[in-house]
Amino acid sequence: MLPPNKLPNPSNNEETDLCSCLENEPINIAKLGLLPGVGQESLVIPYAQKTGLQKKEGRGHDRSTFLKRGLALSSSVVLGTPEDAKHSAECTVTDMSEIVPPEVRPKPAVPAKPTGISSVHGSQGSGVGGQGAGGGSSLLGYIGIDTIIEQMRKKTMKTGFDFNIMVVGTSGLGKSTLVNTLFKSQVSRRSTGWSRDEKIPRTVEIKAVSHVIEEGGVKMKLTVIDTPGFGDQINNENCWDPISKYINEQYEKFLKEEVNIARKKRIPDTRVHCCLYFISPTGHSLRQLDTEFMKNLSRMVNIIPVIAKSDTLTVEEKIEFKQRVRKELEISGIEFYPQKEFDEDMEDKSDNDKIREAMPFAVVGSDKEYQVNGKRVLGRKTPWGVVEVENPIHCEFAQLRDFLIRSHLQDLKEVTHNIHYETYRAKRLNDNGGLHPISTAPSGDTQESNL
């Protein structure tokens, strides 16, 4: 505020230039001896510009009235002396053409989120618009934390990912056929049917076949591990040991790569993410071999039990057999995937409860097509009709495929890495006091191909 001796005295008869004294200081009406004009609520005018205050002529020399233009309180503010308060209403009548309205600045426009974020190619150019030298796409676009999903998608499409599935069961249950039907490609090895000239192996063999499948720009290295000879012997005691050894060898291989000083940027993942165990459609109960296998391996791999060739069972037999299998697994303390203890929230628990109630899936596999109602469908032809593989009324193959590929494929990999592999890693480091090389027998023949 200005000191009192510099304030103008409106009671004298001299015309005082108020703007020359006030400059840009606030105006206090009370100290000036003035009253607020009509339409003014505050006693303090925030600021005064030389072009914003002018002297009102025609009111005589014994009083002064000033007009402020461009205030936020009102378009015109008039100050009058106490002696002439009754004329304040008259003094507020001014020429509106002389009033300069305040400048209204438009709000900056916020760019809308695009429906699809397109990738930017070409060299980056300089300029406000961020245009490239060749007139490429603009670098300025939607900004938000949800764009990390798009970044992860692009990176995954470039690098691809691995998925390793193991099939276990006695010969003749259609393991290879079901895997081929799952991925609609010849991804499994040839049939395990033995000819008269071939000898049945004395021990369980491990054979892995790898393929690179590309669909929609996404590459997936799929490895199918088959176990010919499982359950085909007269004495099947400990016939799951070669399978257990193979699973641990893949954990050991990944662990050694992980602890190397100069390790690879992307460690090859050969760990078994899923094990499909095929149950014979006896319609009665589980065999002891089934129970012992799942009990010994349920803690080191994700086991998904399925009833093979379920078209040999009637609808009533299938429902009763599934209930009996679930009850026996519960009594034996066997936990199959998805395990209840790994449910992260209520939404996962609700979805997984529906899957657990439907297990074991009663499936039918086939790689042959037949004409049904004018459509080509995968199925098994019988004298009384065609069993459609992808028809939910005929079998539960569609549910198994949806569960494995669409909804839980990534979760299978995460549970393998965060639960089963970490359990093996902790036990390995605690038992041996560090990493010491162990003798690992060479695994079975591994074939690779591109589809």
Side-chain angles (χ1 to χ4, degrees), residues 37-96:
V38 177
Q40 182 180 354
E41 298 177 359
S42 175
L43 293 177
V44 178
I45 300 176
Y47 59 90
Q49 300 289 345
K50 290 187 178 183
T51 59
L53 283 175
Q54 68 179 11
K55 184 177 179 181
K56 182 86 182 270
E57 302 294 343
R59 297 300 301 169
H61 296 288
D62 56 345
R63 68 181 71 86
S64 297
T65 305
F66 297 92
L67 173 65
K68 177 70 178 72
R69 295 181 294 177
L71 292 177
L73 296 176
S74 60
S75 59
S76 61
V77 181
V78 178
L79 306 179
T81 58
E83 295 85 357
D84 201 32
K86 61 182 180 179
H87 299 292
S88 58
E90 178 184 355
C91 297
T92 59
V93 180
T94 60
D95 187 5
M96 298 301 295

Side-chain angles (χ1 to χ4, degrees), residues 198-209:
E198 294 178 332
K199 294 181 179 181
I200 299 177
R202 294 183 179 180
T203 58
V204 179
E205 297 180 1
I206 306 295
K207 292 188 177 181
V209 182

Side-chain angles (χ1 to χ4, degrees), residues 160-196:
F161 58 95
D162 304 319
F163 186 67
N164 308 316
I165 182 171
M166 174 181 281
V167 289
V168 181
T170 57
S171 301
L173 292 180
K175 301 185 295 296
S176 303
T177 304
L178 182 68
V179 174
N180 293 338
T181 311
L182 271 175
F183 298 97
K184 293 186 176 181
S185 302
Q186 296 294 327
V187 295
S188 184
R189 65 184 186 87
R190 65 181 179 85
S191 176
T192 57
W194 309 108
S195 64
R196 294 181 179 179

Side-chain angles (χ1 to χ4, degrees), residues 4-63:
N5 56 356
K6 290 187 179 182
L7 292 175
N9 185 7
S11 61
N12 58 17
N13 295 329
E14 297 180 359
E15 295 184 9
T16 307
D17 186 2
L18 180 62
C19 297
S20 62
C21 299
L22 293 178
E23 296 179 348
N24 292 330
E25 294 291 335
I27 302 174
N28 192 316
I29 300 174
K31 291 188 178 182
L32 290 175
L34 303 176
L35 290 177
V38 177
Q40 182 180 354
E41 298 177 359
S42 175
L43 293 177
V44 178
I45 300 176
Y47 59 90
Q49 300 289 345
K50 290 187 178 183
T51 59
L53 283 175
Q54 68 179 11
K55 184 177 179 181
K56 182 86 182 270
E57 302 294 343
R59 297 300 301 169
H61 296 288
D62 56 345
R63 68 181 71 86

Side-chain angles (χ1 to χ4, degrees), residues 17-297:
D17 186 2
L18 180 62
C19 297
S20 62
C21 299
L22 293 178
E23 296 179 348
N24 292 330
E25 294 291 335
I27 302 174
N28 192 316
I29 300 174
K31 291 188 178 182
L32 290 175
L34 303 176
L35 290 177
V38 177
Q40 182 180 354
E41 298 177 359
S42 175
L43 293 177
V44 178
I45 300 176
Y47 59 90
Q49 300 289 345
K50 290 187 178 183
T51 59
L53 283 175
Q54 68 179 11
K55 184 177 179 181
K56 182 86 182 270
E57 302 294 343
R59 297 300 301 169
H61 296 288
D62 56 345
R63 68 181 71 86
S64 297
T65 305
F66 297 92
L67 173 65
K68 177 70 178 72
R69 295 181 294 177
L71 292 177
L73 296 176
S74 60
S75 59
S76 61
V77 181
V78 178
L79 306 179
T81 58
E83 295 85 357
D84 201 32
K86 61 182 180 179
H87 299 292
S88 58
E90 178 184 355
C91 297
T92 59
V93 180
T94 60
D95 187 5
M96 298 301 295
S97 62
E98 299 179 357
I99 300 175
V100 180
E103 181 182 0
V104 180
R105 297 182 178 179
K107 296 182 179 180
V110 179
K113 180 178 179 179
T115 56
I117 303 175
S118 59
S119 58
V120 179
H121 301 284
S123 59
Q124 299 180 1
S126 60
V128 179
Q131 297 290 339
S137 302
S138 175
L139 294 179
L140 298 178
Y142 172 75
I143 299 176
I145 58 175
D146 55 345
T147 56
I148 191 174
I149 305 297
E150 180 68 13
Q151 301 172 32
M152 294 172 63
R153 186 187 69 84
K154 291 180 180 179
K155 189 172 183 180
T156 304
M157 289 184 66
K158 291 180 181 179
T159 59
F161 58 95
D162 304 319
F163 186 67
N164 308 316
I165 182 171
M166 174 181 281
V167 289
V168 181
T170 57
S171 301
L173 292 180
K175 301 185 295 296
S176 303
T177 304
L178 182 68
V179 174
N180 293 338
T181 311
L182 271 175
F183 298 97
K184 293 186 176 181
S185 302
Q186 296 294 327
V187 295
S188 184
R189 65 184 186 87
R190 65 181 179 85
S191 176
T192 57
W194 309 108
S195 64
R196 294 181 179 179
D197 299 332
E198 294 178 332
K199 294 181 179 181
I200 299 177
R202 294 183 179 180
T203 58
V204 179
E205 297 180 1
I206 306 295
K207 292 188 177 181
V209 182
S210 297
H211 307 271
V212 177
I213 301 177
E214 184 173 356
E215 181 180 0
V218 180
K219 295 181 180 180
M220 179 179 72
K221 183 181 179 182
L222 175 66
T223 303
V224 180
I225 303 105
D226 203 350
T227 56
F230 177 83
D232 294 337
Q233 308 297 325
I234 297 177
N235 182 11
N236 291 311
E237 185 179 1
N238 298 329
C239 64
W240 53 83
D241 284 347
I243 300 174
S244 174
K245 183 179 179 181
Y246 176 84
I247 295 174
N248 287 330
E249 284 176 357
Q250 308 316 307
Y251 289 151
E252 182 69 20
K253 188 185 299 184
F254 191 89
L255 179 59
K256 287 184 176 181
E257 290 287 347
E258 196 176 45
V259 299
N260 282 340
I261 297 177
R263 61 182 180 182
K264 301 177 182 178
K265 182 179 180 181
R266 187 169 181 264
I267 302 176
D269 191 1
T270 59
R271 298 169 297 181
V272 180
H273 301 130
C274 171
C275 176
L276 286 179
Y277 186 77
F278 287 73
I279 302 173
S280 299
T282 60
H284 300 290
S285 61
L286 291 175
R287 299 179 301 171
Q288 185 178 0
L289 175 63
D290 303 330
T291 305
E292 292 296 328
F293 173 85
M294 288 188 280
K295 184 182 296 185
N296 283 274
L297 270 73

